[in-house]
């Protein structure tokens, strides 16, 4: 059960109450009838019942809740108002004990005869909605709130917010929007949660453009809220509006709004996707050095890929090798070796390529081909020839290896090297 408020004896006596609860669909409030109810003469408990109730609350104040409940349950008033009042208090005491099943039972009994004073009846109807939602009876809770609104004619934005939340829990995402809008419109101080419920509902409905619109509204309403900015940047990334996402995330970054590792990752992704991988690499690398991004294999690999896209080959190779060392990843060693070869760092390339082969790379043909090339440009023709023969064994590199093997052999012969 979600947390419900603890009730004091005073609150039980003067603040908590009930009303008519209907399983039917909510109707429009009858304001003429509501005014008549408000103007009705105030009822009070009969003397006999009143004395017993007062005694029960003396026990309650002595923290003898079970004894207070037992005393109230012994009462059997004949008057509808007295009976409803006793049931109302029983409901509150059971709620105090967190026995919500009994609390709901007696709250319903208190509401059913429509015998309580107007305010008490209305308050209790709203409480029933709270109890039902708190015990995850979402459909019943929605009906209880609608009955309260019909009975009182009131429009409480918090209640609309709870109805929106209940529909969300029921996965009735289309029904979330209207009550969320009423909750947003009804509050004096904006409540971020109402906007977030709309965003979540739109995402579940795959209405991503509408979700983004709400995200944009969040930034307008809560311009100093860091999460509003970073979430909007994430929305733009998800909806592939990279240019707007880049603008939003750059503003958030400059304002110091980044709070999570994922914020830096989103910024890096957006830089990369807007064809600025160098800035992606620089931002990612700084965040990693500053401890904002954890130095994991996945993150180091991402950094390497940004440098790779930016054609900063040496840095890319360095980080691919660092990522490979986390768990002896043969493929990443091979990637590092291939980039070092591309960067004319032949000796270094040989070390990484051999490491990839030692660890059992799945790309044996291309790795042997790269190794042969790295040896060749160091004039190590025997090693180059041995490696290219291995590359010939792989169907994916056989054609390339055949031509290169002839090339290596001819070059070795011209140099007087016997293979």
């Amino acid at each position: 059960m979600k947390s419900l408020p603890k009730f004091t004896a005073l609150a039980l006596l003067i603040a908590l109450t009930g009303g008519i609860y209907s399983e039917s669909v909510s109707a429009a409030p009858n304001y003429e009838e509501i005014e008549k109810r408000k103007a009705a003469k105030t009822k009070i408990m009969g003397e006999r019942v009143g004395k017993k109730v007062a005694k029960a609350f003396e026990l309650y104040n002595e923290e003898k809740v079970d004894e207070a409940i037992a005393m109230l349950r012994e009462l059997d008033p004949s008057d509808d108002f007295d009976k409803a009042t006793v049931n109302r208090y029983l409901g509150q005491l059971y709620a105090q004990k967190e026995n919500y099943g009994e609390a709901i039972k007696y709250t319903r009994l208190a509401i059913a005869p429509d015998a309580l004073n107007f305010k008490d009846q209305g308050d209790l109807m709203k409480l029933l909605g709270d109890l039902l939602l708190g015990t995850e009876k979402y459909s019943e809770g929605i009906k209880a709130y609608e009955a309260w609104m019909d009975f009182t004619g009131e429009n409480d934005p918090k209640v609309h917010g709870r109805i929106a939340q209940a529909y969300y829990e029921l996965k009735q995402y289309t029904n979330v929007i209207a009550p969320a809008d009423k909750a947003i419109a009804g509050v004096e101080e904006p409540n971020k949660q109402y906007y977030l419920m709309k965003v979540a509902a739109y995402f579940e409905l795959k209405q991503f453009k509408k979700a983004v619109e709400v995200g944009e509204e969040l930034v307008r309403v809560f311009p100093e809220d860091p999460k509003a900015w970073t979430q909007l940047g994430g929305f733009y990334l998800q909806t592939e509006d990279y240019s707007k996402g880049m603008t939003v995330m750059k503003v958030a970054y400059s304002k110091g709004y980044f709070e999570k590792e994922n914020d830096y990752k989103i910024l890096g992704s957006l830089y990369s996707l807007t064809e600025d991988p160098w800035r992606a690499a620089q931002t990612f690398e700084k965040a990693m050095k500053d401890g904002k991004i954890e130095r994991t294999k996945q993150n180091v690999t991402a950094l390497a890929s940004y440098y790779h896209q930016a054609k900063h080959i040496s840095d890319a190779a360095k980080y691919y090798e660092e990522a490979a060392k986390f768990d002896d990843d043969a493929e990443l060693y091979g990637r590092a070796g291939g980039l070092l070869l591309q960067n004319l760092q032949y000796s270094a390339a040989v070390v990484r390529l051999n490491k990839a082969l030692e660890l059992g790379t799945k790309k044996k043909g291309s790795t042997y081909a790269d190794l042969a090339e790295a040896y060749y440009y160091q004039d190590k023709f025997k090693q180059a020839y041995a490696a290219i023969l291995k590359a010939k064994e792989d169907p994916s590199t056989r054609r390339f290896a055949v031509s290169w093997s002839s090339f290596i052999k001819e070059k070795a012969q011209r140099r007087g090297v016997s293979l």
Side-chain angles (χ1 to χ4, degrees):
M1 161 97 189
K2 297 177 180 177
S3 61
L4 293 169
K6 298 290 185 182
F7 305 112
T8 64
L10 179 62
L12 289 169
L13 284 167
I14 66 174
L16 300 170
T17 39
I20 296 174
Y21 172 69
S22 171
E23 295 291 334
S24 63
V25 176
S26 174
N30 184 331
Y31 291 102
E32 184 179 348
E33 182 65 25
I34 289 168
E35 291 305 315
K36 286 182 183 178
R37 289 175 181 274
K38 287 181 179 179
K41 183 179 179 180
T42 301
K43 304 172 189 176
I44 60 173
M45 282 188 292
E47 184 177 356
R48 182 185 68 83
V49 175
K51 286 181 178 179
K52 289 284 189 180
V53 168
K55 178 62 177 175
F57 278 99
E58 287 179 15
L59 292 169
Y60 172 82
N61 285 327
E62 295 170 4
E63 298 186 359
K64 298 178 180 178
V65 180
D66 290 335
E67 290 85 342
I69 289 172
M71 179 169 288
L72 289 173
R73 289 188 64 164
E74 287 175 2
L75 295 173
D76 186 21
S78 57
D79 179 80
D80 282 348
F81 174 78
D82 288 358
K83 184 177 291 186
T85 301
V86 169
N87 286 330
R88 173 165 68 108
Y89 294 146
L90 278 168
Q92 308 319 311
L93 290 175
Y94 276 118
Q96 181 73 42
K97 286 175 61 66
E98 300 185 2
N99 185 339
Y100 298 116
E102 289 296 289
I104 290 169
K105 169 187 168 183
Y106 280 100
T107 299
R108 287 188 190 277
L109 289 172
I111 290 170
D114 187 18
L116 295 167
N117 294 313
F118 178 80
K119 184 178 185 306
D120 292 339
Q121 183 84 352
D123 288 349
L124 200 58
M125 293 175 80
K126 185 194 282 189
L127 175 66
L128 178 59
D130 293 343
L131 288 168
L132 289 166
L133 253 69
T135 51
E136 301 182 3
K137 296 178 174 65
Y138 300 116
S139 294
E140 294 177 66
I142 291 167
K143 291 176 183 177
Y145 284 135
E146 290 175 341
W148 169 77
M149 287 187 281
D150 290 345
F151 180 81
T152 63
E154 293 183 30
N155 268 306
D156 184 340
K158 291 182 180 178
V159 169
H160 288 301
R162 291 170 194 158
I163 290 172
Q165 181 66 38
Y167 276 125
Y168 187 84
E169 297 292 345
L170 290 167
K171 303 186 187 307
Q172 296 180 25
Y173 304 117
T174 302
N175 292 333
V176 170
I177 308 303
D181 280 337
K182 289 178 182 177
I184 289 168
V187 294
E188 292 184 10
E189 288 293 325
N191 187 321
K192 186 179 179 182
Q193 295 307 312
Y194 300 152
Y195 293 92
L196 293 177
M197 273 195 288
K198 284 184 67 178
V199 167
Y202 279 132
F203 265 96
E204 293 291 348
L205 292 167
K206 302 190 187 309
Q207 296 179 19
F208 301 121
K209 288 186 178 179
K210 288 186 178 293
V212 169
E213 287 173 8
V214 181
E216 291 170 341
E217 190 176 355
L218 265 169
V219 168
R220 288 193 295 271
V221 177
F222 303 95
E224 303 303 320
D225 185 341
K227 288 184 179 178
W229 287 86
T230 55
Q231 285 172 344
L232 179 57
F235 296 158
Y236 282 132
L237 176 63
Q238 190 161 353
T239 55
E240 299 183 3
D241 195 340
Y242 304 132
S243 179
K244 285 185 179 179
M246 187 73 265
T247 300
V248 167
M249 292 304 282
K250 282 171 73 174
V251 171
Y253 183 67
S254 68
K255 287 179 175 287
Y257 285 169
F258 283 14
E259 297 176 345
K260 298 179 179 178
E261 178 178 288
N262 197 51
D263 299 335
Y264 295 93
K265 289 182 176 180
I266 289 173
L267 179 59
S269 295
L270 287 165
Y271 272 130
S272 175
L273 291 163
T274 53
E275 300 183 0
D276 195 354
W278 165 248
R279 200 171 295 277
Q282 291 289 287
T283 302
F284 214 83
E285 186 175 49
K286 183 179 185 305
M288 193 174 288
K289 288 178 178 177
D290 291 344
K292 305 296 185 182
I293 294 178
E294 188 179 355
R295 213 174 189 93
T296 63
K297 178 185 177 183
Q298 181 181 17
N299 291 338
V300 174
T301 302
L303 176 55
S305 71
Y306 291 146
Y307 273 123
H308 195 173
Q309 290 174 54
K311 296 182 170 53
H312 282 253
I313 303 303
S314 184
D315 287 320
K318 177 182 75 173
Y319 284 115
Y320 277 133
E321 182 173 8
E322 181 181 335
K325 289 178 179 177
F326 278 89
D327 57 3
D328 282 339
D329 189 316
E331 311 313 324
L332 288 177
Y333 272 115
R335 200 174 301 175
L339 288 178
L340 289 167
L341 172 63
Q342 183 180 333
N343 209 41
L344 311 182
Q345 295 174 253
Y346 303 124
S347 295
V350 165
V351 173
R352 279 71 180 179
L353 293 167
N354 274 320
K355 184 72 172 178
L357 291 165
E358 176 190 326
L359 292 170
T361 178
K362 296 176 182 178
K363 299 177 180 178
K364 284 186 168 54
S366 59
T367 304
Y368 275 118
D370 284 347
L371 186 60
E373 190 174 347
Y375 278 131
Y376 174 84
Y377 286 115
Q378 297 178 77
D379 292 336
K380 296 181 178 180
F381 301 117
K382 286 186 177 181
Q383 294 95 322
Y385 191 68
I388 207 67
L389 290 180
K390 286 287 188 181
K392 287 172 70 173
E393 297 174 6
D394 189 323
S396 66
T397 52
R398 183 173 294 132
R399 181 176 296 180
F400 168 83
V402 167
S403 62
W404 252 82
S405 63
S406 299
F407 181 72
I408 294 168
K409 193 172 184 180
E410 289 173 6
K411 187 67 174 285
Q413 287 174 348
R414 287 200 300 270
R415 293 285 187 89
V417 177
S418 175
L419 301 178

